[in-house]
Amino acid sequence: QVQLVESGGGLVQAGGSLRLSCAASGRTFSSYNMGWFRQAPGKEREFVANIWWSGTKTYYADFVKGRFTISRDNAKNTVYLQMNSLNPEDTAVYYCAADKYASGNYYDAGKYDYWGQGTQVTVSS
């Protein structure tokens, strides 16, 4: 199975920025659509962003559009989430996920085949 490892989380002040990275194992990363999800304590996991294998199509949750940017570097087997204008409501564990077969809806967590362990993002003030 594919291994996904997130990094780049941490503590940031409101209005600041962070860039999350998700490194994937294997040689088939370039064929996977990728997603970012987040989960805060006591809340359900929610969709953040999705990017097609080619990088030519992206989708965003309404509450992050204009602030977050998803991108990928297939040569490095890595997907990124650039987060700007962060606010305390963005505090959560952020997970990356791989969609091997491109089935279902991009915003549905159940359609993804592989998940990372998550990285904590905390926004203060």
Side-chain angles (χ1 to χ4, degrees):
Q1 60 183 10
V2 173
Q3 289 185 311
L4 303 173
V5 181
E6 302 96 335
S7 62
L11 176 64
V12 64
Q13 294 183 5
S17 299
L18 284 174
R19 189 179 75 158
L20 306 184
S21 299
C22 175
S25 66
R27 300 286 292 175
T28 59
F29 170 80
S30 62
S31 68
Y32 298 165
N33 293 353
M34 299 292 296
W36 284 97
F37 289 76
R38 70 186 189 185
Q39 188 166 24
K43 300 182 66 176
E44 295 183 354
R45 187 168 299 187
E46 62 183 353
F47 168 76
V48 176
N50 172 279
I51 186 168
W52 282 16
W53 66 271
S54 63
T56 59
K57 198 77 171 182
T58 58
Y59 301 92
Y60 295 95
D62 288 342
F63 52 83
V64 304
K65 189 174 296 183
R67 299 190 298 126
F68 293 7
T69 303
I70 187 171
S71 62
R72 66 192 300 161
D73 186 341
N74 288 344
K76 296 181 178 180
N77 280 13
T78 303
V79 62
Y80 304 96
L81 185 68
Q82 178 67 48
M83 304 185 294
N84 299 325
S85 301
L86 287 163
N87 58 64
E89 289 70 37
D90 296 314
T91 295
V93 177
Y94 284 71
Y95 300 89
C96 70
D99 177 13
K100 182 177 181 179
Y101 301 105
S103 61
N105 297 313
Y106 60 84
Y107 51 81
D108 183 3
K111 99 189 199 77
Y112 292 83
D113 302 287
Y114 307 106
W115 292 84
Q117 294 296 309
T119 184
Q120 177 70 48
V121 172
T122 303
V123 185
S124 65
S125 296

